Amino acid sequence: SGPLRGAPPCLATLEKVGKGHAAAWRLADFRTEETGMQARLALDRNPAEPCCKLMFVGGRSGQREKLGHMLLACDEDGSALRGMRIREDLRGRGLSKLLLAVWLRLCLEAGLTPRTRTINKPLLSLSLAAFGFAPTNQRGMLVRVSAAKRARDCVRSTSAHAPGRTAYIRTAFEAPDAATLRAAVDRQLRHGNLELGVPPAALRRALTLRGGRGACTPKRRGRRRPLP
């Protein structure tokens, strides 16, 4: 494995937005009567494995403000959530569940299995549980979470009598069956309309960073062999 260099060929057919380090590729648009947002894919130069960043921009009156993003590992048959960040002034409004729903819908449309890497954030764990995700092999550390809306005010407690909800951390999560997952996603997106900006096959290539003209895999670092 190794870091990606340049724009992978599997993104060649997608609409590109921005240049250089700010380059991203449009995947889908989600609109309601009052607002809208766009899901874009950007490259994440992770040296350990092929990864991408799913960025969300939008707002009222057609504004393109950054709302948040999630980090995804690009598996051959799936998309694995590594982490998520919501703009601080937008936290506590249920945006994390909406962004998760968009990602999950993209996975369903692309025929990919959504999963996660190890999750250590209790609030993200709770959001995943709302879609039916469960700790892999029922492992992980169970903690109680306060009802605070901001992450910096959210205190973990090991006391069994502490108020608040419980969440699993230090574990990966696996998705429920496709029917259960689709129903949960539909409930979350019921107040808006999600439109794909690319065909399902192109979406699959983008989320896995594989396919297209030429190999869409990271280049390996290593010493050059001397010429004979």
Side-chain angles (χ1 to χ4, degrees), residues 9 18-19 55 70-71 106 139 142 180-181 187 194 199-200 202 218:
K19 298 180 180 179
M55 303 171 57
M70 56 182 65
L71 300 176
L106 295 180
R139 290 187 172 184
L142 189 62
T180 299
L181 182 62
R187 285 195 300 271
L194 182 68

Side-chain angles (χ1 to χ4, degrees), residues 1-211:
S1 62
L4 285 165
R5 298 175 184 177
C10 50
L11 304 178
T13 61
L14 276 61
E15 177 187 345
K16 187 177 181 180
V17 182
K19 298 180 180 179
H21 293 294
W25 289 262
R26 173 175 166 265
L27 297 183
D29 293 275
F30 179 75
R31 296 184 178 88
T32 67
E33 293 183 356
E34 298 180 352
T35 186
M37 68 177 180
Q38 189 171 96
R40 299 174 179 175
L41 182 142
L43 298 179
D44 178 30
R45 312 288 177 172
N46 190 306
E49 61 179 340
C51 293
C52 66
K53 181 185 295 185
L54 190 58
M55 303 171 57
F56 298 89
V57 297
R60 298 176 183 273
S61 303
Q63 296 178 352
R64 292 300 184 191
E65 301 176 354
K66 293 182 180 180
L67 307 178
H69 69 266
M70 56 182 65
L71 300 176
L72 304 173
C74 303
D75 295 338
E76 189 169 349
D77 64 341
S79 179
L81 178 67
R82 297 171 51 231
M84 175 189 287
R85 182 175 180 84
I86 304 295
R87 206 174 76 196
E88 189 167 350
D89 62 309
L90 298 177
R91 294 174 185 173
R93 303 182 186 181
L95 189 58
S96 63
K97 290 182 182 178
L98 178 59
L99 302 192
L100 282 173
V102 173
W103 166 60
L104 293 170
R105 173 57 60 80
L106 295 180
C107 289
L108 290 169
E109 295 296 331
L112 296 173
T113 300
R115 56 177 69 98
T116 81
R117 296 293 190 254
T118 299
I119 299 298
N120 290 317
K121 293 184 177 180
L123 293 180
L124 180 53
S125 172
L126 289 173
S127 294
L128 288 166
F131 291 93
F133 278 75
T136 302
N137 299 324
Q138 294 301 313
R139 290 187 172 184
M141 178 181 177
L142 189 62
V143 297
R144 287 191 174 273
V145 188
S146 74
K149 292 183 177 180
R150 296 185 302 180
R152 66 189 183 197
D153 299 330
C154 183
V155 181
R156 285 187 266 169
S157 173
T158 56
S159 171
H161 303 289
R165 299 161 291 176
T166 58
Y168 281 97
I169 59 172
R170 300 180 184 176
T171 181
F173 289 81
E174 55 190 8
D177 62 87
T180 299
L181 182 62
R182 189 175 291 276
V185 170
D186 288 343
R187 285 195 300 271
Q188 188 63 43
L189 300 179
R190 67 187 183 279
H191 297 303
N193 182 40
L194 182 68
E195 296 181 358
L196 293 183
V198 295
L203 181 60
R204 183 183 180 93
R205 291 194 295 269
L207 291 175
T208 59
L209 289 181
R210 289 170 172 84

